Amino acid sequence: MHEVGITRSIVEIAERSAREQGAARVVSVTVQIGGLSGVVPEAVEFCFEACTKETFLEGARLIVERIPGRGRCRECGAETALDPYIFACPACGGYALEVLQGNELSIREMEID
């Protein structure tokens, strides 16, 4: 489960940033996870408490913003919702889908004290 490593990285980045800003603790962290990123949001949520033990983030709230997959067909120009199992354009059947959103995996903001 690579979500443990991802969650640890989120905690390390947030903790480093909080220290640089002179914070005493992190109150909350908001992360964006795209539906096409290959990251399971529920697994990150599950790992978060364990990964924050004895850090600036212990007791912090994790807020996950799920970004749905969205794409555009390069053949017909139609925009459509995408998931990891859609490979063809529902409008024309073409296979040239360009991902517009859904690959995100980022820390959007954090609240500190």
Side-chain angles (χ1 to χ4, degrees):
M1 181 161 86
H2 68 286
E3 281 81 357
V4 172
I6 290 168
T7 306
R8 283 185 181 151
S9 293
I10 290 168
V11 171
E12 289 169 8
I13 291 166
E15 186 171 36
R16 184 174 53 244
S17 180
R19 286 183 192 273
E20 289 171 359
Q21 296 179 44
R25 70 183 188 101
V26 176
V27 177
S28 69
V29 177
T30 302
V31 296
Q32 293 181 320
I33 300 177
L36 305 174
S37 69
V39 177
V40 179
E42 293 80 11
V44 172
E45 292 169 337
F46 179 79
C47 298
F48 187 75
E49 184 177 345
C51 290
T52 59
K53 292 287 184 205
E54 299 180 13
T55 72
F56 272 29
L57 283 84
E58 188 166 3
R61 191 174 73 156
L62 176 67
I63 302 164
V64 176
E65 294 179 350
R66 291 167 170 79
I67 309 297
R70 187 129 194 95
R72 179 182 306 117
C73 179
R74 290 185 177 134
E75 294 178 23
C76 73
E79 285 195 20
T80 186
L82 294 179
D83 66 40
Y85 310 106
I86 293 180
F87 301 104
C89 173
C92 74
Y95 290 99
L97 293 174
E98 171 189 10
V99 176
L100 301 176
Q101 72 177 31
N103 286 323
E104 297 82 358
L105 177 57
S106 62
I107 298 173
R108 190 171 74 77
E109 68 182 18
M110 58 180 206
E111 181 182 349
I112 58 175
D113 270 347

